[in-house]
Amino acid sequence: MTSSKTLPTRRKHPGRGGKRARYENKGRQVRPDDQADIRALLGSAPRDRDLLIEHLHLVQDRYGHISAGHLAALADEMRLSMAEVYEVATFYAHFDVVKEGEDAPPPLTVRVCDSLTCEMMGARELLTSLKEGLGDQVRVLSAPCMGRCECAPVAEVGHRHITNATPGAVQQTVSAGNFGPELPNYRNFDDYRTDGGYALLSDCLAGRHSREDIIATLDDSGLRGLGGAGFPTGRKWGIVRAESGPRMMAVNADEGEPGTFKDRIYLETDPHRTLEGMLIGAWAVEADAVYFYLRDEYPQLRDMLIREITLLEGAGFDGLPAIHLRRGAGAYICGEESAMLESIEGKRGEPRHKPPFPAQVGLFGRPTLINNVETLHWVRDIVERGADWFASQGAHGRKGLRSYSVSGRVAEPGMKLAPAGTTVQELIDNYCGGMADGHSFSAYLPGGASGGILPAHMADIPLDFGTLEEHGCFIGSAAVIVLSDKDDVRSAALNLTRFFEDESCGQCTPCRAGTEKAAQLMASSNWDQTLLDDLCSAMADASICGLGQAAPNPIRSVFRYFPEDAS
């Protein structure tokens, strides 16, 4: 007998003259034209639940927005409720959901990065100029960090980035009408193979290395997770491998921390070194599939990775897992590992409660190995050169190499490969050509937006895991932003707090309400330190994930090290 729950809910209308009644389904009706559009876009692609975000991207890319009719048709085509589709589509910043009766946005969108480094370099003035100078057919928006802080300010016209952006350069790009991403000049599959690439993977697949030996080598090297958490890599691989299968792997390329751009540089110069490390990791834990989660702010890398992964899969390696490239949609929170897993599964990017941890119950409920791009980049070198080679690279008693993303008031910003434990003063003097002309070093962020702010007189602290915590800061993904005497620390902290307010997923009250209230209080000419301290404690102690827990760091840094700026 069929359950009544499987039958459509119907609404009865009286027939003419009291005769036959007719029935209609409740809710938004799917129009034939909208249904035809969605079916044409999806083609023969699977309608699996976890592909919802990928399919929303197809609609957004084709029409420049997502109409209510297309949402209803997509829900119907994927056998999902309208609520499920709507809540996902409205969660991510890069989906423009247009309700019934609303006007669609202009056909072209220009985004201007408003994160700290870009603001320091004139993004606010650029945004104002573009809003005044571009016509009604162009929508101009502010946007969070685009991962190009070394060439700030940055604008994005469609999917084309304009670095060191000026109003004239943006206007010229708009007039030229070329809005697609530019592919980077990278080392492709053939060049990588010529230089010995994938020989290590081949040896692993052929049984010339044991999984235990590879994991032990990484453990001995001291390699840690370089996305921010710093968990020992070899230990993580061992933990996942010890769990009962089937197992999965996910690569976190959602590099959204303001000031961070190292992963972008590794991928757009030598992508296969990360891909080989990824496949060795999947082999080591015997993962059935790998999901590569790439932030949507890197469209040029998506086009490149589609091409290179296709070549890799067709190269004849036996025993490779399935590789799925998944596209983020503009949500900083998805850099948190469990929020990323939720997004890969086609859901809102809301962090999960822990335990269980992803190594135990991760993607699709399976034990999952999660690594960041830079971490995987080092796997081949460490195995080929030996654990001692990597461990001996550090400075000031630290181990390994670090890729510092340095931006702000230095003469030569960029990604600087240096020994772990290098100080900010050494970075400025030895790697960045000193301070920019006319600027004197006054303060710095050692770990991006969430890593706190330190004064210049504390420039000799080794920058590594475990060296900054006693000062109320941490290194995270090694995003170093240098401030000068021309910058206001108070304004910098407000910029960072507004970023957290915008990027909070809203799941937990301490973070959702705390960041909003803190930003309001910090906009006042006089900060209420007592109330801000209470807010900071509530956020740090009660937030579900690292976003809310770290959001107080810039505020507390100002009170601790720059009290004159808080009064």
Side-chain angles (χ1 to χ4, degrees):
M1 181 176 178
T2 304
S3 168
S4 61
K5 292 183 179 179
T6 66
L7 297 175
T9 302
R10 301 189 294 179
R11 179 171 62 247
K12 185 174 180 178
H13 296 268
R16 291 180 179 177
K19 296 181 180 180
R20 294 176 58 189
R22 62 187 177 88
Y23 292 87
E24 291 181 358
N25 289 334
K26 281 187 176 180
R28 185 179 300 278
Q29 304 304 300
V30 178
R31 295 188 290 259
D33 288 350
D34 293 330
Q35 186 178 56
D37 290 342
I38 294 300
R39 287 180 174 174
L41 278 176
L42 269 58
S44 60
R47 271 58 169 173
D48 298 340
R49 174 67 173 80
D50 61 286
L51 291 173
L52 174 57
I53 293 173
E54 293 295 311
H55 295 340
L56 287 168
H57 274 302
L58 292 176
V59 182
Q60 177 73 38
D61 290 346
R62 171 64 178 83
Y63 296 99
H65 65 280
I66 303 174
S67 69
H70 283 150
L71 274 182
L74 183 61
D76 182 72
E77 189 68 18
M78 298 187 69
R79 302 294 186 265
L80 298 172
S81 70
M82 184 66 175
E84 287 178 283
V85 177
Y86 182 81
E87 72 169 5
V88 172
T90 54
F91 179 84
Y92 295 93
H94 289 186
F95 295 140
D96 294 308
V97 177
V98 177
K99 298 178 181 178
E100 202 73 56
E102 290 183 345
D103 293 332
L108 178 63
T109 296
V110 173
R111 291 181 167 88
V112 177
C113 177
D114 65 0
S115 290
L116 180 56
T117 303
C118 281
E119 183 176 279
M120 291 163 59
M121 300 300 174
R124 189 176 299 175
E125 294 77 11
L126 174 64
L127 181 68
T128 300
S129 177
L130 292 176
K131 284 184 174 180
E132 294 172 352
L134 295 176
D136 294 338
Q137 295 303 301
V138 180
R139 179 177 58 163
V140 181
L141 303 174
S142 60
C145 186
M146 298 178 185
R148 296 177 179 273
C149 317
E150 80 277 25
C151 42
V154 180
E156 185 181 27
V157 180
H159 290 300
R160 180 171 291 257
H161 287 96
I162 312 299
T163 56
N164 302 118
T166 63
V170 174
Q171 179 65 65
Q172 184 177 2
T173 303
V174 170
S175 300
N178 187 2
F179 310 137
E182 292 183 272
L183 280 180
N185 183 20
Y186 63 93
R187 185 157 64 148
N188 62 25
F189 179 74
D190 290 337
D191 292 340
Y192 185 73
R193 288 295 299 274
T194 300
D195 292 339
Y198 292 112
L200 176 58
L201 175 65
S202 297
D203 287 343
C204 290
L205 295 174
R208 289 186 284 272
H209 290 285
S210 73
R211 293 176 171 86
E212 292 74 18
D213 286 346
I214 295 291
I215 292 173
T217 298
L218 294 180
D219 210 18
D220 293 342
S221 73
L223 179 67
R224 301 175 69 167
L226 299 175
F231 194 85
T233 302
R235 191 187 310 171
K236 178 186 283 190
W237 288 23
I239 290 171
V240 175
R241 178 162 167 70
E243 293 290 327
S244 299
R247 306 177 194 90
M248 308 293 283
M249 183 176 182
V251 179
N252 190 340
D254 193 65
E255 182 183 46
E257 182 74 18
T260 307
F261 48 88
K262 62 185 178 62
D263 289 352
R264 187 203 91 226
I265 290 177
Y266 279 125
L267 287 175
E268 67 183 12
T269 55
D270 197 7
H272 286 282
R273 193 168 293 271
T274 292
L275 293 176
E276 183 171 12
M278 172 189 81
L279 291 173
I280 291 169
W283 165 82
V285 303
E286 299 182 88
D288 290 351
V290 179
Y291 286 77
F292 196 109
Y293 189 84
L294 179 70
R295 69 184 309 220
D296 199 36
E297 287 81 355
Y298 293 163
Q300 77 287 0
L301 293 182
R302 181 174 179 271
D303 290 351
M304 178 268 289
L305 285 170
I306 289 172
R307 175 184 304 179
E308 296 304 309
I309 290 173
T310 300
L311 292 172
L312 172 59
E313 291 177 323
F317 293 106
D318 291 329
L320 291 186
I323 303 172
H324 304 275
L325 180 62
R326 289 295 175 85
R327 182 178 173 186
Y332 164 75
I333 190 62
C334 290
E336 196 277 336
E337 60 179 8
S338 65
M340 178 189 69
L341 298 181
E342 290 287 294
S343 189
I344 291 173
E345 293 179 4
K347 305 171 188 174
R348 296 164 61 93
E350 294 179 342
R352 300 173 180 176
H353 291 273
K354 303 172 186 176
F357 294 93
Q360 303 161 311
V361 181
L363 193 57
F364 307 117
R366 299 178 178 181
T368 302
L369 174 64
I370 303 174
N371 281 133
N372 144 273
V373 167
E374 187 193 356
T375 304
L376 296 171
H377 174 92
W378 288 116
V379 169
R380 176 186 164 193
D381 278 332
I382 289 172
V383 175
E384 291 182 345
R385 299 188 186 193
D388 291 342
W389 165 79
F390 187 79
S392 66
Q393 298 296 314
H396 305 295
R398 316 307 296 178
K399 289 185 177 182
L401 292 165
R402 290 303 300 263
S403 304
Y404 297 95
S405 303
V406 186
S407 64
R409 305 298 190 180
V410 294
E412 300 169 9
M415 192 270 279
K416 311 297 180 180
L417 181 60
T422 298
T423 69
V424 71
Q425 193 65 61
E426 291 168 339
L427 283 173
I428 294 170
D429 296 341
N430 303 332
Y431 294 86
C432 298
M435 294 292 292
D437 289 343
H439 291 269
S440 298
F441 181 32
S442 66
Y444 68 104
L445 283 69
S450 54
I453 310 173
L454 292 172
H457 69 78
M458 298 177 68
D460 293 326
I461 302 170
L463 299 180
D464 197 17
F465 299 112
T467 63
L468 295 157
E469 283 76 1
E470 65 178 293
H471 306 292
C473 299
F474 58 82
I475 190 171
S477 58
V480 179
I481 303 176
V482 178
L483 280 62
S484 79
D485 56 331
K486 305 293 193 299
D487 300 308
D488 178 13
V489 173
R490 176 192 178 108
S491 296
L494 177 56
N495 176 284
L496 302 175
T497 302
R498 284 174 171 161
F499 168 78
F500 291 125
E501 177 190 7
D502 290 341
E503 295 299 324
S504 172
C505 75
Q507 180 181 187
C508 68
T509 302
C511 177
R512 180 185 67 251
T515 53
E516 179 183 9
K517 183 63 174 178
Q520 292 172 356
L521 291 170
M522 294 167 71
S524 170
S525 57
N526 294 303
W527 286 9
D528 186 335
Q529 181 168 351
T530 301
L531 185 51
L532 280 169
D533 277 339
D534 288 344
L535 279 172
C536 288
S537 296
M539 286 189 283
D541 295 342
S543 295
I544 290 174
C545 80
L547 190 156
Q549 294 164 12
N553 288 344
I555 305 170
R556 287 175 162 172
S557 293
V558 173
F559 287 139
R560 184 172 179 179
Y561 299 113
F562 309 93
E564 67 282 359
D565 291 305
S567 58

